[in-house]
Amino acid sequence: MSGQQLAACGKVFLAGEYAVLDAGRPALVAGIDRRMHARWGSVPGVHLVHAPTGLVWDGGAPPPELRFAARAVQLARSFCGSSSGLRLVFEDDLALEGRKLGLGGSAAACVLAVRAACAAAGRVPSDDEVVSLACAAHWAEQGGSGSGADVAAAALGGVLEVRSTIPWCTPEEMMALPARDIAAARPLQIRRVRVPPELRLLLAWTGEPADTRALVREVRQFSRGLPHRWAVRAGAITATAEALRDALDAADAPAALDAVRDGAVAMAALGEEAGAGIVTAELALACALAASVGAAGKPSGAGGGDCAVIFAFGDEASDRVEAALRPRFPVFRIAPA
C-alpha cells in the first residue's frame, strides 16, 4: 500500500467549557504533543481500519469506533469530487499507557480522515478547509452539537482561542449542502494565544471516564429552562477564559493561576445549579493538591471524570505538583504541540 503517515494532535480544554456552546463565547483549547497516528494508501474502494480493535469499515453503517472518520471521509471525497479509493488505518486512539483520557480522539479522527481523503484525491486542502470539513463531520456525528474547538486543536495544535459560529441548524441541513459550501463556511473563529515558555501542563487522571454527552445534555436543559441563570454562569466561565488568555499573552504567571482557579470555581457553580456532576470529588481533590503546592488546576473538558488539567510555571513547580499528585493520581506531562 503506497501512501504516507499522518498525525493529528490530542486536545485539552484549558478554559471556557460549556460557555463555548453559545455562539461567540470563547474557549481556550490546546492541541498537545500526544497525537493520533494514521497511514493511508490508494486502493480500490474505501476501507477504514481501527487497528487497536481490528474493526474495519468498507460501507454500510460504520462501527462506533469509525463513524466519525466515515462521515469525514464522505464529506472530503465530495469536496474533492473524487472517486479515488482509500485505505486509512488508524494506528492508535490517543490512549496514554492504555488509558482513555478524553483527549479528543473523535476530533482527531475527523481531521485525519479529511486529510487522507484529500491526499488520495491529489488535493491539498488549506487548514481552513480541513477545519471546516472536519468540524462539520464531527458536529453532525454528535447530532448537531459541540463547539468544534477540539477539532481546531487537533488540526492546528498549540494554544487557541476558539469561538463557535456554526451556521447550520441540523445535520440533515448541513449534509444537503454542496461540500464546497461546507468547506467555505468557516464555522470557527480561531486566534492563536502566546504561551510563556515557563508554562508546564500536567494531567491528573481521576480513573473514571466522563459521560460528556449526558453532562452537556443536562447543562443544555438548564440553559433552556433557566436562561437568565445560564447567562450568569456562562458569563462567569467566559470571564475566566478571557482572563486566562490575557494572562498567558502577557506572561503573567500569578494572574494565569488565579484565572485557572476561578475557572474551576465557575465550573463547580454551574454543575451545582444545573444538577450536573461536573466537578467530582476526585477532580476537586486534584485541584486542591495542585493549589497546596502553588499550582492551579481545573477540570478539562466536560468534567464528570477524565482529567484535571494542572498549570505550573517552571520545572521546579512542575516537579512539586507531580510529587503532590502521584500518591493519588496517574499524572501525565503534556505540552502544546
Side-chain angles (χ1 to χ4, degrees):
M1 180 177 72
S2 62
Q4 63 180 2
Q5 295 288 130
L6 298 171
C9 295
K11 61 83 180 163
V12 173
F13 270 92
L14 305 180
E17 296 92 338
Y18 292 106
V20 72
L21 295 172
D22 279 357
R25 290 190 183 272
L28 261 61
V29 63
I32 62 171
D33 57 352
R34 307 298 178 112
R35 296 176 172 87
M36 178 180 285
H37 300 86
R39 54 189 168 84
W40 68 272
S42 297
V43 299
V46 176
H47 305 268
L48 305 183
V49 181
H50 185 254
T53 60
L55 290 168
V56 177
W57 178 77
D58 56 9
E65 291 81 357
L66 291 168
R67 66 187 182 91
F68 285 91
R71 175 86 70 164
V73 164
Q74 176 187 356
L75 277 179
R77 282 164 55 85
S78 179
F79 168 67
C80 295
S82 170
S83 59
S84 301
L86 169 69
R87 177 177 170 85
L88 177 61
V89 180
F90 294 94
E91 298 178 334
D92 48 57
D93 53 8
L94 280 175
L96 294 181
E97 299 180 8
R99 297 180 174 95
K100 288 283 192 72
L101 305 183
L103 298 182
S106 59
C110 286
V111 168
L112 291 175
V114 168
R115 287 179 173 156
C118 289
R123 183 161 183 169
V124 180
S126 68
D127 284 343
D128 284 339
E129 290 168 337
V130 170
V131 169
S132 295
L133 291 166
C135 178
H138 197 254
W139 180 83
E141 278 303 310
Q142 293 186 115
S145 67
S147 68
D150 44 2
V151 173
L156 304 177
V159 176
L160 308 171
E161 180 187 70
V162 180
R163 299 173 190 262
S164 178
T165 55
I166 292 172
W168 313 294
C169 293
T170 67
E172 293 75 18
E173 173 200 334
M174 184 272 291
M175 291 300 294
L177 296 171
R180 65 179 180 277
D181 292 349
I182 297 171
R186 305 297 182 265
L188 307 176
Q189 297 176 4
I190 303 168
R191 169 185 179 272
R192 287 206 174 271
V193 178
R194 290 176 295 179
V195 177
E198 300 82 12
L199 177 65
R200 303 291 181 266
L201 297 174
L202 304 93
L203 295 176
W205 187 55
T206 65
E208 295 292 335
D211 189 343
T212 299
R213 287 189 178 186
L215 288 165
V216 170
R217 185 167 57 248
E218 290 169 353
V219 171
R220 284 293 203 192
Q221 289 172 351
F222 166 68
S223 70
R224 288 192 293 266
L226 294 168
H228 296 300
R229 295 306 307 159
W230 161 249
V232 172
R233 294 302 172 205
I237 291 172
T238 295
T240 65
E242 292 172 340
L244 180 58
R245 174 203 64 205
D246 293 345
L248 292 175
D249 269 339
D252 186 337
L257 296 177
D258 285 344
V260 172
R261 297 181 188 117
D262 289 344
V265 170
M267 290 182 73
L270 172 62
E272 291 172 7
E273 195 157 357
I278 293 174
V279 181
T280 65
E282 290 296 287
L283 285 169
L285 176 60
C287 295
L289 290 171
S292 73
V293 292
K298 59 177 289 295
S300 177
D306 285 342
C307 292
V309 58
I310 311 299
F311 290 64
F313 285 83
D315 291 333
E316 290 185 8
S318 181
D319 291 344
R320 283 197 306 272
V321 74
E322 183 169 357
L325 289 165
R326 277 217 176 269
R328 293 296 300 266
F329 301 98
V331 179
F332 304 91
R333 298 193 184 215
I334 58 171

